[in-house]
Amino acid sequence: QIVVPPDRSRQMVHQSCQRGEDAIEHLFKTWIDLVPAESKAMLEILAVSCQEAEQGSDGVGIKLRTNAHKYFARKGEESKSLSKEEFSARVKTIFGELVATGLGPNEAAAEAINRATNEQSK
């Protein structure tokens, strides 16, 4: 059973990617709801087995020894990424500091963007 036709799915994924991570997650959950019950049962079994592997038999966390773990787990550094609003606020703060030191508006704007970008990439 096809959950969503290929042409429609590409369009939906593209639109969700443009709207951000929450939209992608919502799309995924919507599609999961359309999956047959047998497939959902297999996904639940897979999820439980992954949780057991992460916990370990003694209840103490263990590291998974597969490369797949790197794909599924988020790196701590990714959480440092700023949202558009946070980045914009940071640029404005730096801009204000630079203008207060006597730098011209155009130079301050360019430097503020550079500094905020450099901070985010660290």
Side-chain angles (χ1 to χ4, degrees):
Q1 177 181 354
I2 296 177
V3 175
V4 180
D7 291 340
R8 178 74 178 125
S9 67
R10 280 190 283 280
Q11 179 186 15
M12 293 171 77
V13 168
H14 179 74
Q15 290 171 345
S16 295
C17 288
Q18 289 178 331
R19 292 193 316 259
E21 192 170 323
D22 290 339
I24 295 168
E25 187 174 333
H26 175 73
L27 177 65
F28 180 75
K29 288 179 180 178
T30 302
W31 284 355
I32 291 294
D33 289 342
L34 299 173
V35 171
E38 298 83 11
S39 298
K40 286 181 187 177
M42 288 192 305
L43 290 172
E44 290 172 5
I45 292 168
L46 178 61
V48 169
S49 67
C50 288
Q51 290 171 352
E52 290 172 356
E54 287 177 354
Q55 276 187 333
S57 59
D58 58 358
V60 178
I62 61 169
K63 291 184 179 179
L64 296 178
R65 294 184 179 94
T66 65
N67 289 334
H69 181 262
K70 292 177 187 175
Y71 176 78
F72 290 116
R74 289 182 182 243
K75 296 177 184 174
E77 297 166 2
E78 290 178 334
S79 63
K80 294 180 183 177
S81 180
L82 299 175
S83 70
K84 288 180 183 179
E85 292 81 14
E86 292 170 327
F87 182 80
S88 178
R90 183 64 185 137
V91 169
K92 287 178 184 177
T93 301
I94 296 170
F95 174 80
E97 294 169 357
L98 293 172
V99 170
T101 63
L103 202 58
N106 291 339
E107 295 166 327
E111 182 63 24
I113 292 169
N114 285 335
R115 287 187 187 181
T117 302
N118 289 337
E119 288 175 6
Q120 187 171 3
S121 65
K122 290 181 181 180

